Amino acid sequence: MTVRRALAIIVALLAVVAVLSVPTRAETTVAPGDIVLKPLPGVPAIGLPGETIEVQPAEGVTIQGLRIVSILHGPYDLQILGTENGVVKARIPEDAAPDVYFLVVKSDKGEVTIPNGVWVMKEAPKVLKIAQGSDFHVTSGSKMGFVCGEYFQKSVQEILKYCDDPIPMHSYTATDSFMTYYAMVDGDDVNVMISTGDDVDTNGDRMGYHLFDLAVLHGTAAGMPFIGIKGNHDHPPTYYSKYVGPRYFYEVIGNFLIIGLDSRGEERHPEMEQLQWMEDVLKSHPNKTVVVLVHHPFWYKTDEGGYGTIKGYTAFDDNDWNALMKYISWDWAGRDGQYQDIARYFLQLVEKYNVRLVLAGHIHHDKPILYIDRDGNEHWFYTLTTTGAPDKTSNPPSKVDLSHNYDVPSWYGSQVIYVYPNGTVAFPEMDDVLHAGISSLPVPQKFVVFRQNGEDGSAVHFFNDLGRAVSGPLGVQIPEGAKVDPDATTLTYKVIAEREIGGNYYMLLNVTVPEGESQLAVVREKDTQKPTVEFGYISPRKPKPGTLLKVFFDASDNVGIKSARVEVIENGKVVAEYPAFSTNPWDVKGNYFSQFTVNSSEFTLRVVVEDFYGNTAETTYEYAPATTTTTSAPSEGKGVCGPAALVAIALLPAFLRRRK
């Protein structure tokens, strides 16, 4: 390649990056937080039919109308009663059916539709049944790990030691799987989903917040409400407050009071003014059973180790407090105790107002601790592992994990926790949560959901390794006019309702997801269109035998890609086959990669992709030290290698920074 040609390629790629840097229409659309500060997808308004809810408009916004609608019920117009201290009071209609609703807000600054905007209860729950998730770390980038049954690994190469067909777990996939599963679980088992922070991986990733809200939408559209707090990865809350909720808040659910705190970023604990606000809330809501949500865990250890019981102390006694300091996290008290007045005030509030449950996350490991104060009152502090991020201890632990003394494995986990009216806290799925090692449940580790939504149809792909079938409601976004195709659906289903909401079309079904792999296809007509596939490049560009090779390609379909693989061909024979994974699994136009070792200096790679109807497409890439060629069938594709690929790789960080 001549220098002139290489320069031409560089100029062309710079032009592409410049075009991609131009603000898109999505960046100028109205965000929910531009119109209202509360409710938002992470903090719904809650009430019974006939009760009054509050809507807090953003500064300078005038609310003109409020309406609630779900796939199954409504729409209902809310009667605006007036405004008090800038907060709009509105009444839920007496005839509103119990459900989780989209809130449609009309204002002088535009209209927004907020999923999980209003939770209309049939009756106040006698037992608060929580499904906790934490540290979803949703990203518009390519953050993912790999699972296979009990196993979790950060890399493809490691998971292939334990499994020939691993399942990729992008942070969005894990989040959507959590929301989908707990929405399917019958209300007798769970009645609210809760997140304890780090909803996205990067606080400036606006697309990441869109994806997080999409996962919330999938859960709440099926009737399960959601409440969440921010974490340090959501800090500062530039986009968090526009797409998820306020920094801190409280929710009243019948006899239960949920207080959501903000432990901020590098500060790692709430400020004193926030704790004073918390005490004001506790004073104004006496006789409630209190649950507190805060991202950074309060306790560091017990005498038993990383979890267990701390007993017989009180934060109101100086000697006891000095003894307690060795158990408290530096995040709260400070490395040299410089913040211990904040930590002590918080624990005094826990004791004084008999807070029965404090939920946290952040550390990507399970840490259940039971604090029994001097008067014998039990206060549970449950810290959950990450539900969505792959940067946790491998299972089994790797050499790197062991070198950092991370000998306790982890996985993609969640937890079910019951809080009774008398304040008793129970873990119905665990016999002894205090001494279980991994105390979280394997959701989404063993229940993985992939959704694809194309122009001609939508498909949902399930992997159920829980050892039992899972039944319940499923909300699916679909193209207008699409219907379930029974011939391309391998699970039991019943369509309940369909509706257009906010310009999108949704279908609500009752489904039974069997053990193993299954799928649901909702299409306008049977899909006979083949996917398209185009080879990208390999890295390194000139691999030697024994080299770890990375393969990149693009694939798309009108309904969705179900699977992709790379075959290694030597001397006309397939000598190996490896799975390929999408780095943006929410999109029918996916960027895929695979990774494996090549053992020859000359080989052919054949990429094969398949859609949900068995239609396939393939492309081949022939490598030899002197020359390479690419052929495609049925779609044409050209290989991208050499200096052009290297320049593209070099420019990728600039593009990603712009996206975030």
Side-chain angles (χ1 to χ4, degrees):
M1 177 179 290
T2 65
V3 174
R4 180 176 297 177
R5 184 180 176 191
L7 289 174
I9 292 173
I10 293 173
V11 171
L13 288 169
L14 286 172
V16 170
V17 173
V19 170
L20 292 170
S21 298
V22 175
T24 63
R25 182 177 299 177
E27 292 180 333
T28 60
T29 56
V30 177
D34 293 331
I35 305 299
V36 295
L37 303 180
K38 184 183 175 183
L40 286 174
V43 185
I46 303 172
L48 298 170
E51 288 189 341
T52 300
I53 62 169
E54 296 182 349
V55 177
Q56 184 178 356
E59 185 176 356
V61 174
T62 300
I63 303 297
Q64 298 173 332
L66 298 169
R67 175 176 292 184
I68 57 175
V69 59
S70 71
I71 303 176
L72 191 58
H73 298 112
Y76 302 100
D77 290 321
L78 305 187
Q79 180 187 2
I80 296 178
L81 303 176
T83 302
E84 183 179 326
N85 297 323
V87 177
V88 175
K89 307 282 188 176
R91 179 177 289 122
I92 301 171
E94 294 280 359
D95 60 346
D99 206 342
V100 180
Y101 287 90
F102 292 78
L103 173 64
V104 182
V105 183
K106 297 181 68 175
S107 79
D108 61 336
K109 303 296 184 181
E111 181 176 307
V112 291
T113 301
I114 302 171
N116 192 45
V118 178
W119 173 16
V120 179
M121 302 181 293
K122 180 179 180 180
E123 60 182 4
K126 294 180 175 59
V127 180
L128 191 64
K129 301 177 179 180
I130 298 168
Q132 183 192 4
S134 191
D135 296 80
F136 294 102
H137 286 269
V138 174
T139 175
S140 59
S142 57
K143 193 168 191 173
M144 68 171 65
F146 300 87
V147 299
C148 180
E150 300 283 340
Y151 299 123
F152 155 75
Q153 295 290 323
K154 302 177 183 71
S155 74
V156 181
Q157 289 302 107
E158 288 298 315
I159 198 66
L160 287 173
K161 295 177 181 178
Y162 308 100
C163 178
D164 293 331
D165 196 17
I167 301 172
M169 195 80 90
H170 188 281
S171 56
Y172 168 76
T173 301
T175 304
D176 192 44
S177 300
F178 168 88
M179 302 289 181
T180 300
Y181 174 82
Y182 284 109
M184 291 180 65
V185 172
D186 187 87
D188 289 339
D189 297 323
V190 167
N191 50 33
V192 64
M193 299 182 294
I194 283 179
S195 163
T196 42
D198 279 359
D199 294 335
V200 301
D201 196 51
T202 306
N203 75 297
D205 186 1
R206 183 168 183 164
M207 180 60 183
Y209 281 111
H210 278 294
L211 292 171
F212 180 78
D213 279 357
L214 180 61
V216 172
L217 184 155
H218 290 155
T220 60
M224 185 62 67
F226 170 81
I227 297 171
I229 60 168
K230 67 176 284 293
N232 59 296
H233 280 252
D234 302 304
H235 190 83
T238 307
Y239 288 133
Y240 181 90
S241 59
K242 290 182 178 293
Y243 291 99
V244 184
R247 280 185 57 213
Y248 51 92
F249 60 89
Y250 71 89
E251 298 268 31
V252 177
I253 308 175
N255 189 53
F256 300 95
L257 173 65
I258 295 179
I259 296 178
L261 298 178
D262 175 19
S263 51
R264 304 177 289 170
E266 290 303 312
E267 298 85 354
R268 306 177 190 177
H269 52 264
E271 66 272 30
M272 185 63 75
E273 293 78 8
Q274 193 181 155
L275 295 184
Q276 291 168 345
W277 165 87
M278 173 180 167
E279 181 158 26
D280 290 340
V281 172
L282 291 167
K283 286 179 179 177
S284 60
H285 294 82
N287 304 317
K288 297 289 186 184
T289 301
V290 184
V291 176
V292 172
L293 317 177
V294 63
H295 182 62
H296 290 81
F298 184 80
W299 300 106
Y300 172 65
K301 67 172 184 176
T302 72
D303 289 333
E304 303 167 58
Y307 42 80
T309 303
I310 300 171
K311 184 177 182 180
Y313 300 93
T314 176
F316 290 95
D317 181 271
D318 290 343
N319 291 329
D320 280 6
W321 176 252
N322 291 332
L324 284 170
M325 279 289 289
K326 66 180 179 180
Y327 303 119
I328 297 170
S329 168
W330 286 344
D331 290 343
W332 276 80
R335 184 178 294 270
D336 300 316
Q338 63 268 40
Y339 307 121
Q340 62 174 300
D341 57 334
I342 290 176
R344 186 173 186 178
Y345 183 26
F346 176 74
L347 192 59
Q348 286 175 343
L349 292 179
V350 168
E351 293 185 34
K352 181 178 179 180
Y353 295 95
N354 203 16
V355 175
R356 307 309 297 263
L357 177 64
V358 179
L359 298 179
H362 183 64
I363 59 175
H364 294 196
H365 279 83
D366 299 320
K367 183 188 284 290
I369 291 179
L370 175 60
Y371 174 61
I372 305 175
D373 64 30
R374 186 187 288 179
D375 293 332
N377 297 311
E378 294 187 351
H379 314 276
W380 277 93
F381 290 74
Y382 187 82
T383 300
L384 180 69
T385 186
T386 169
T387 305
D391 48 352
K392 50 185 173 287
T393 307
S394 300
N395 184 10
S398 66
K399 293 181 180 179
V400 174
D401 296 323
L402 294 174
S403 69
H404 288 82
N405 297 318
Y406 295 151
D407 57 347
V408 178
S410 190
W411 56 13
Y412 294 88
S414 56
Q415 187 57 277
V416 174
I417 306 170
Y418 287 3
V419 186
Y420 291 87
N422 63 359
T424 299
V425 175
F427 298 81
E429 304 289 336
M430 302 294 298
D431 293 330
D432 183 7
V433 72
L434 284 175
H435 305 94
I438 293 180
S439 60
S440 53
L441 307 177
V443 175
Q445 175 85 22
K446 294 185 177 183
F447 189 87
V448 187
V449 182
F450 294 92
R451 295 175 186 257
Q452 297 274 281
N453 185 22
E455 59 184 7
D456 292 329
S458 300
V460 188
H461 195 188
F462 294 92
F463 292 87
N464 178 8
D465 193 34
L466 293 173
R468 55 180 171 80
V470 177
S471 298
L474 176 71
V476 183
Q477 187 174 338
I478 62 173
E480 183 180 6
K483 302 296 179 185
V484 177
D485 183 353
D487 295 330
T489 297
T490 59
L491 50 77
T492 304
Y493 70 92
K494 179 181 180 181
V495 177
I496 304 300
E498 301 175 44
R499 190 185 291 272
E500 181 270 330
I501 303 174
N504 295 313
Y505 293 85
Y506 300 95
M507 178 179 289
L508 180 65
L509 310 94
N510 270 334
V511 301
T512 297
V513 180
E515 294 182 54
E517 186 177 351
S518 60
Q519 70 180 50
L520 169 74
V522 188
V523 293
R524 287 175 172 155
E525 58 184 16
K526 292 186 181 298
D527 182 18
T528 59
Q529 182 175 322
K530 295 182 178 181
T532 63
V533 59
E534 184 173 358
F535 202 91
Y537 60 94
I538 62 172
S539 179
R541 185 169 60 92
K542 295 182 179 181
K544 297 179 181 180
T547 298
L548 183 63
L549 184 69
K550 295 181 180 179
V551 178
F552 300 88
F553 61 92
D554 295 334
S556 64
D557 189 69
N558 59 320
V559 175
I561 300 292
K562 181 178 180 180
S563 64
R565 68 180 186 273
V566 178
E567 298 172 347
V568 181
I569 301 172
E570 297 176 7
N571 299 319
K573 295 182 179 180
V574 177
V575 297
E577 181 180 304
Y578 300 95
F581 314 102
S582 174
T583 61
N584 52 319
W586 58 87
D587 199 337
V588 293
K589 298 179 180 178
N591 310 119
Y592 287 77
F593 77 96
S594 188
Q595 183 175 318
F596 48 84
T597 301
V598 291
N599 298 310
S600 175
S601 58
E602 295 187 13
F603 55 84
T604 297
L605 302 179
R606 180 163 60 210
V607 174
V608 182
V609 296
E610 181 178 345
D611 68 14
F612 286 87
Y613 277 75
N615 304 310
T616 62
E618 64 181 54
T619 183
T620 59
Y621 174 91
E622 298 178 6
Y623 177 79
T627 180
T628 60
T629 61
T630 304
T631 60
S632 300
S635 58
E636 293 298 325
K638 294 184 179 180
V640 180
C641 54
L646 297 179
V647 174
I649 296 170
L651 292 175
L652 185 59
F655 172 52
L656 292 177
R657 283 197 299 273
R658 176 59 197 166
R659 291 185 68 186
K660 292 184 182 300

